[in-house]
Amino acid sequence: MTTTITYERLGDLAGTDLGYTEYRTVIQDQVDLFADATDDHQWIHVDPERAKTGPFGAPIAHGFLTLSLAVPFWTELLEVKGVTTKVNYGLDKVRFPAPVVVGARVRMRATVVEVVEVHGGYQIAVDQTIEIEGGAKPAVVARGLYRFYA
């Protein structure tokens, strides 16, 4: 469910659990395109036959591909009305506790931990966890920093 808030009320978001996104399936074509974009063609990502005999039993998504899914997941979790510019300001404490095998489904949970005024706008710090359906450990744990300007 999407949380909708106005720019003027962004300060009220601190401590808000934004909940979960829908699941998305990670597919081989997506992994291959990411490999091309980043020039990271390691066989554990792009060679499904060889990856079957590798340490994960299947090809896995790049950690940074999984992290980048935070971008589309955000559109499911938060809408801020009255904003002219949104900026991905950065990340803190990024970890990749578990690999995502191709074909797995992932979703994100997010909690706003802090909201501060910065340079004519607001910055929110968000604890983000990208979970693997049925997985014992998350795929990504990170604190995202996002800025909003009216």
Side-chain angles (χ1 to χ4, degrees):
M1 176 178 269
T2 304
T3 297
T4 302
I5 193 166
T6 63
Y7 174 80
E8 296 77 23
R9 303 288 313 259
L10 267 172
D12 299 338
L13 274 182
T16 301
D17 181 352
L18 299 174
Y20 293 92
T21 65
E22 296 294 321
Y23 280 103
R24 290 175 175 252
T25 302
V26 175
I27 61 172
Q28 188 64 52
D29 286 345
Q30 190 177 28
V31 172
D32 293 341
L33 286 170
F34 192 86
D36 289 343
T38 60
D39 201 22
D40 180 356
H41 294 92
Q42 188 176 164
W43 63 270
I44 61 172
H45 304 302
V46 299
D47 187 339
E49 286 306 310
R50 184 173 175 195
K52 287 179 187 177
T53 63
F56 307 107
I60 60 170
H62 304 74
F64 285 111
L65 166 58
T66 307
L67 175 62
S68 74
L69 294 175
V71 175
F73 282 145
W74 260 110
T75 63
E76 294 182 45
L77 293 178
L78 182 64
E79 179 183 359
V80 182
K81 298 211 180 257
V83 171
T84 61
T85 306
K86 304 173 193 175
V87 177
N88 176 353
Y89 188 68
L91 297 161
D92 287 337
K93 303 177 186 175
V94 178
R95 300 290 183 269
F96 303 107
V100 176
V101 298
V102 170
R105 292 176 7 123
V106 294
R107 69 178 179 178
M108 186 171 82
R109 180 178 186 174
T111 301
V112 179
V113 293
E114 181 181 54
V115 181
V116 294
E117 288 188 54
V118 291
H119 312 291
Y122 287 98
Q123 177 174 294
I124 65 173
V126 182
D127 284 346
Q128 305 170 141
T129 303
I130 297 179
E131 302 175 346
I132 306 164
E133 186 176 41
K137 293 181 180 180
V140 177
V141 178
R143 178 165 289 177
L145 304 174
Y146 304 95
R147 291 191 173 180
F148 298 85
Y149 301 94

